Amino acid sequence: MNKVENRDLLRMLFTLFYSVFFIFLLLGVTSHGSSYGNHGSQKLSTFSFFSRFLRKSISHIDNGNLESSSPGRISTINHAAAVSGIGVNWGSQSSHHMPPETIVRMLRENGIQKVKLFDADYDTLRALGKSGIEVMVGIPNDMLATFASSSKAADKWVDKNVSHHLTTNNVNIRYVAVGNEPFLTTYNGTFLRTTYPALRNIQQALIKAGHSNQVKVTVPQNADVYLSSTSLPSGGDFRADIHDFVGQIVKLLSDNNAPFMINVYPFLSLYTDPSFPVDYAFFDGNATPLNDGGMNYYNMFDANHDTLVWALQKNGFGNLPIIVGEIGWPTDGDRNANVEYAQRFNQGFMAHISGGKGTPMRPGPINAYLFSLMDEDDKSIDPGNFERHWGICRYDGQPKYRLNLGTTNVGSLIPARGIIYLEQKWCIMKPNAKLDGSDVVPSVSYACARADCTCLGYQTSCGNLDSQGNISYAFNSYYQKNNQLDDACKFSGLGTTTRADPSTESCKFNIMIKAYYGNAGRLPSYVLRTLTLVASVSIFLLTNL
């Protein structure tokens, strides 16, 4: 053969190799990704939390004895569908995932019987099979238009992501969350006209499939869908601009014995309003109570929750079940986001709901999901640096603080077992490197933009580091996120690796865990080595002909 023929043959072989290679990858990806592009949590887009910041849910307490029309308590009989108990949100916006089986084992060992997902990832749902754990699967907002316009698409989604797992994998699916906070003011109405049609078509698909008695639909809403005209719970009603849209949803939920889901975050009121009374965010009973027609509210959660109860009651749905889809407290990234406050809030919340007392307007058990199970280092930080630190556990499944869920005899969280970490080595700034060098600022900016520096800042866990410590923290974060690759610690000659842990008493320099990549990650190592070798040889030959 001549040189041109050789090149053509090699190009053909090169193309064939990459076709086979990508088939391997696609087999891994599609086997654990849910259908219709539902591959990741859409809970936190760039805008998801902004309206929470603007919302001040009962943020100013009036110490006077304010009166309102005498409120009526809601009977607990008709909302028995909202089963009591504590669940957790299991998010997926992390750079290094743990195997789903490891997380499911941790859930079971901690006696957690309910989990809320933001998608319908196949591997995650399969791991939950036969666990007995009650599951809520999610439909991201970017899929609402598809289901709103096509009942067939809704039928197919239910078949692949509900029916299949119920019958084949024995997953205890109890809810489908259609969208995630779709009526946020910051979405500027993007999902207003697609949420209800999508909800309706998914509901009809569940009926067609014969699952509507077991699997209920809902729409997780941010607490900004309602407000109080009087700063008292009794003044609650749905926002005027979305009143009719919410009304459609509420009626469908009521007609199908399905719950209204709301996300409540007292932390965000404290974050956005320096004058917010701190004690009112917690459950210690130390806050000056808010009096509403003879009902006293000692914490923001009860007041916020009952504002919704009043809104439902005013619109003719006073007995509609309510689920608290998200509630929690972050541990880092802000001066009020710390382990002490998080432990105080979450343990206080558990004590508050454990007796089944409920709220002044809704006596009885409260059905809630803590947010969240673990930290997620790939979440957007546009809302604030705290966004990546909502977990009751670290990224590696290790508890951050003592938390008694009342579900085990241990009295604290049981950590994930069998976690495989990368090597015990860190990337730091060279001790002899100049702090005022021209490459320092660009290198730190590059590392923080692509990794996680949210623990650096005023009154955060790593806020007391010196300049070299800050730089080293940024370098190490990038190094670990990139699986300790040698090139990830160069930084124009400023970085070097060390076996000596640079962590301080308050600041942890993490070592990342070995990432789980689904079925693609389970390809035999000899196959991966062979593919890599063939690729290298092909590239060499192509470039040297």
Side-chain angles (χ1 to χ4, degrees), residues 183 195-196 199-200 203 217-219 221 225-226 237-239 242-262 308-322 362:
F183 290 172
T195 301
Y196 174 75
L199 179 71
R200 179 193 60 212
Q203 174 62 41
V217 293
T218 189
V219 180
Q221 297 284 9
V225 298
Y226 53 87
D237 202 351
F238 297 113
R239 272 188 7 234
I242 60 172
H243 191 279
D244 292 344
F245 295 102
V246 176
Q248 282 184 309
I249 290 173
V250 169
K251 186 177 187 307
L252 185 146
L253 297 177
S254 179
D255 290 345
N256 292 279
N257 297 313
F260 192 99
M261 178 170 286
I262 196 67
L308 170 59
V309 174
W310 272 102
L312 290 170
Q313 181 171 292
K314 287 177 182 176
N315 289 278
F317 298 96
N319 288 324
L320 191 70
I322 295 173
R362 272 284 177 95

Side-chain angles (χ1 to χ4, degrees), residues 95-131:
S95 64
H96 289 65
H97 296 282
M98 291 197 298
E101 294 80 7
T102 300
I103 298 177
V104 171
R105 182 175 62 196
M106 179 174 66
L107 292 171
R108 296 186 67 183
E109 290 180 349
N110 281 286
I112 296 171
Q113 288 299 308
K114 300 187 304 179
V115 66
K116 177 171 168 277
L117 308 175
F118 296 95
D119 52 25
D121 178 74
Y122 185 87
D123 280 3
T124 299
L125 286 167
R126 183 176 59 182
L128 286 162
K130 299 180 181 179
S131 68

Side-chain angles (χ1 to χ4, degrees), residues 131-406:
S131 68
I133 296 173
E134 184 181 292
V135 179
M136 181 185 301
V137 294
I139 295 176
N141 290 336
D142 59 11
M143 298 174 68
L144 294 177
T146 298
F147 299 141
S149 61
S150 173
S151 59
K152 288 184 178 179
D155 292 343
K156 289 180 180 179
W157 188 91
V158 167
D159 180 60
K160 291 184 178 182
N161 297 290
V162 179
S163 299
H164 174 75
H165 290 292
L166 284 172
T167 58
T168 303
N169 292 332
N170 294 309
V171 182
N172 184 22
I173 299 176
R174 298 298 302 278
Y175 299 101
V176 175
V178 182
N180 189 56
E181 299 186 336
F183 290 172
L184 279 171
T185 54
T186 48
Y187 285 144
N188 294 319
T190 302
F191 307 109
L192 280 182
R193 301 186 185 281
T194 55
T195 301
Y196 174 75
L199 179 71
R200 179 193 60 212
N201 286 342
I202 291 294
Q203 174 62 41
Q204 289 300 315
L206 290 171
I207 292 173
K208 291 177 189 176
H211 304 316
S212 58
N213 287 333
Q214 175 181 344
V215 184
K216 300 298 181 180
V217 293
T218 189
V219 180
Q221 297 284 9
N222 187 282
D224 74 347
V225 298
Y226 53 87
L227 48 78
S228 173
S229 59
T230 63
S231 293
L232 296 171
S234 58
D237 202 351
F238 297 113
R239 272 188 7 234
D241 61 313
I242 60 172
H243 191 279
D244 292 344
F245 295 102
V246 176
Q248 282 184 309
I249 290 173
V250 169
K251 186 177 187 307
L252 185 146
L253 297 177
S254 179
D255 290 345
N256 292 279
N257 297 313
F260 192 99
M261 178 170 286
I262 196 67
N263 300 337
V264 182
Y265 285 100
F267 165 79
L268 293 169
S269 291
L270 186 59
Y271 177 74
T272 57
D273 183 4
S275 65
F276 185 86
V278 175
D279 286 339
Y280 200 58
F282 298 96
F283 301 92
D284 308 324
N286 298 325
T288 302
L290 181 70
N291 185 280
D292 187 2
M295 291 184 177
N296 288 320
Y297 289 90
Y298 291 89
N299 62 82
M300 178 189 162
F301 169 78
D302 284 356
N304 191 295
H305 180 280
D306 281 2
T307 304
L308 170 59
V309 174
W310 272 102
L312 290 170
Q313 181 171 292
K314 287 177 182 176
N315 289 278
F317 298 96
N319 288 324
L320 191 70
I322 295 173
I323 292 179
V324 179
E326 298 176 18
I327 185 167
W329 200 282
T331 56
D332 215 336
D334 179 69
R335 64 189 182 90
N336 290 312
N338 54 62
V339 169
E340 179 185 357
Y341 274 6
Q343 196 276 342
R344 179 183 173 188
F345 180 85
N346 284 327
Q347 193 62 73
F349 180 69
M350 292 306 306
H352 187 62
I353 69 172
S354 63
K357 181 181 178 181
T359 65
M361 284 288 288
R362 272 284 177 95
I366 290 176
N367 192 356
Y369 295 80
L370 292 178
F371 191 84
S372 64
L373 180 60
M374 290 182 296
D375 285 349
E376 299 170 71
D377 64 344
D378 268 351
K379 290 175 69 174
S380 169
I381 59 171
D382 285 339
N385 286 340
F386 55 83
E387 270 306 317
R388 295 175 177 172
H389 304 280
W390 287 98
I392 57 176
C393 295
R394 286 159 33 96
Y395 66 95
D396 54 0
Q398 307 307 300
K400 298 179 183 178
Y401 47 86
R402 185 178 180 85
L403 180 61
N404 184 2
L405 298 178

